[in-house]
Amino acid sequence: MMPMDGMTPLEGQAGLRGHRQLDEALLDNAAALANADQQGMLRALASAGAQVRESAALAAEANLAQIADDGRPRAVVVAGVGTAARAGDILATVAGSRSQVPVMAHRSAGVPGWVGAADAVIAVSASGRSPEALAAAEAAARRGARLVAIGAPNSELQALAERARAPFVPVPRRAPARASLWAVTVPVLLAARTLGLVRVAEADLAETAARLDADAERCRPTADSFVNPAKEMAIALGNSIPIVWGSSPLATVAARRVGDMLSANARYPVVSGSLGEAGRGRVGLLDGVYGGLAEGERDIFADPDEQSDQVRLRVLLLRDGGLADEDAAEDEPSAVEERRADAVEALALRRGVRCDTLRGEGASPLERLASLIAVPDFASVYLALAHGLDPTAVPAVTEMKEFTQT
């Protein structure tokens, strides 16, 4: 069937390939990068280590001890959307399957119907005005649940927390909110520690902050591509369809964060999630029109440079460098996860699909998570800038908010 605009399928495909190419030269021009990143997204990401230290200090001043007066809660709900919801995912993963208290990230307005006086709600909004977080805080106060609020100072969320006489942890405002992941995550973890859910030592926070500082230094704009892992990753992902899979629950949280950042900053369509889920269906993408099928139809005698604009899959495999629970030295699922990751690398190689692997490093789950997130965060910004995009401004998001608020 002929397309409505009269193009043949091949002509249409050529048109799709006429997208804006990656300007690799920009990445090694520090002055040009600074001019392109006028809103300072790279600088905001470089503050991640400082966010850990700052938010830990602010949480210490917030009198979180009062939420522990009634002992361990029946369940904990982390309410919020976007980056705030990722903080809830991180808590659920750090708490792990052995936690005696269920932890859930709630992304809708209000709280689940079962929440009551025996439960705790952590309402999170970097701006302090998210409708979902505000509705959750109001519902928690009305039902008598323990409440902790985390958000921008002098915001609606702070006013609501003060009316409910609940602890409030201020988050210094950074725009966009996705640059504040660690500023909202650390108070969530410390509130959970106060409730007896997780073990987060001061040394864990210090090592995580140091890891983030070190990765920010490695990924700085003045470091050339051949020594800058984020620029190298941006070039590798350029003009591809990224697939980001995590080999473990911890790595899966990181994979979804990478998907968030590539979508919002670089506007790339991304498939992200758990490698365990992928093995039940999504791994079939490797045999699709952007994977092995495309590889099989390539002309092996053609000039590679003439095919450089062909859109292909690019797998980014995040592998956890340790076990989710340090006490589980013989945890059988970990071996299964490692075999799955090995299998995906082998399957991609057989089909000519590029597969890059990033391994988590660090003694604590929090530090390993930081090591899996930091470099891709920077890579998403470099990818946006190399395409001539402002990573801080997402017009479609702004328009979506305007539509839903009218």
Side-chain angles (χ1 to χ4, degrees):
M1 181 176 179
M2 183 70 70
M4 292 181 65
D5 58 8
M7 290 193 300
T8 67
L10 288 177
E11 290 170 337
Q13 187 177 22
L16 288 174
R17 292 177 181 174
H19 54 274
R20 185 182 297 174
Q21 293 294 317
L22 193 76
D23 183 1
E24 294 185 24
L26 176 78
L27 297 181
D28 286 332
N29 186 329
L33 276 174
N35 184 61
D37 187 26
Q38 293 187 3
Q39 302 303 314
M41 187 64 162
L42 289 170
R43 185 170 59 253
L45 290 179
S47 73
Q51 288 180 37
V52 173
R53 289 183 283 268
E54 180 183 44
S55 58
L58 291 170
E61 298 172 359
N63 191 26
L64 290 174
Q66 71 182 76
I67 63 174
D69 291 344
D70 295 327
R72 185 176 293 170
R74 179 181 61 178
V76 174
V77 174
V78 182
V81 294
T83 302
R86 287 286 169 244
D89 294 336
I90 291 171
L91 172 58
T93 303
V94 171
S97 60
R98 295 189 177 186
S99 172
Q100 298 180 5
V101 176
V103 179
M104 69 171 293
H106 185 68
R107 292 169 165 82
S108 303
V111 294
W114 49 261
V115 170
D119 305 303
V121 173
I122 306 175
V124 187
S125 169
S127 68
R129 59 176 185 270
S130 159
E132 291 81 5
L134 291 172
E138 290 176 350
R142 187 171 60 251
R143 298 185 191 185
R146 279 175 273 183
L147 172 66
V148 176
I150 301 166
N154 304 314
S155 62
E156 296 175 61
L157 186 58
Q158 180 175 6
L160 199 156
E162 289 174 350
R163 290 196 299 271
R165 298 182 179 179
F168 176 80
V169 182
V171 174
R173 188 77 173 100
R174 292 176 179 86
R178 57 187 176 277
S180 300
L181 174 67
W182 295 100
V184 297
T185 296
V186 170
V188 168
L189 293 173
L190 294 180
R193 184 180 71 177
T194 303
L195 292 168
L197 270 68
V198 295
R199 292 175 296 175
V200 179
E202 301 306 319
D204 296 340
L205 296 175
E207 290 163 2
T208 298
R211 170 79 58 179
L212 291 167
D213 287 342
D215 282 336
E217 175 64 19
R218 294 166 61 215
C219 299
R220 67 190 186 279
T222 55
D224 291 336
S225 298
F226 66 91
V227 294
N228 187 320
K231 291 181 180 180
E232 184 181 18
M233 183 179 291
I235 292 170
L237 292 174
N239 300 315
S240 71
I241 300 175
I243 299 180
V244 190
W245 283 325
S247 68
S248 69
L250 187 80
T252 296
V253 172
R256 292 191 170 121
R257 163 70 176 186
V258 174
D260 293 344
M261 295 294 274
L262 285 171
S263 297
N265 293 335
R267 293 23 154 209
Y268 265 50
V270 185
V271 177
S272 63
S274 163
L275 191 55
E277 296 171 352
R280 300 299 189 272
R282 287 189 178 182
V283 73
L285 289 168
L286 299 178
D287 291 324
V289 294
Y290 298 106
L293 180 59
E295 179 70 17
E297 294 180 349
R298 288 176 62 189
D299 182 355
I300 61 174
F301 299 106
D303 184 346
D305 291 335
E306 294 180 357
Q307 300 190 47
S308 61
D309 62 346
Q310 183 179 19
V311 177
R312 297 292 309 282
L313 295 181
R314 185 88 183 204
V315 176
L316 177 58
L317 184 58
L318 306 185
R319 301 183 71 155
D320 189 359
L323 297 172
D325 184 341
E326 289 96 339
D327 295 334
E330 299 180 357
D331 194 359
E332 182 62 25
S334 178
V336 173
E337 290 160 359
E338 288 297 305
R339 288 198 296 272
R340 284 178 183 150
D342 291 340
V344 165
E345 289 179 340
L347 290 172
L349 178 63
R350 291 178 186 174
R351 288 155 176 78
V353 175
R354 297 293 181 88
C355 179
D356 302 305
T357 300
L358 183 61
R359 291 183 177 273
E361 299 177 351
S364 70
L366 198 61
E367 185 183 357
R368 295 201 304 276
L369 181 70
S371 73
L372 291 171
I373 286 177
V375 172
D377 270 6
F378 280 97
S380 70
V381 176
Y382 285 127
L383 193 55
L385 297 175
H387 278 300
L389 299 171
D390 178 359
T392 64
V394 187
V397 172
T398 302
E399 292 177 36
M400 184 74 172
K401 290 179 180 179
E402 291 173 353
F403 274 118
T404 57
Q405 290 173 0
T406 56

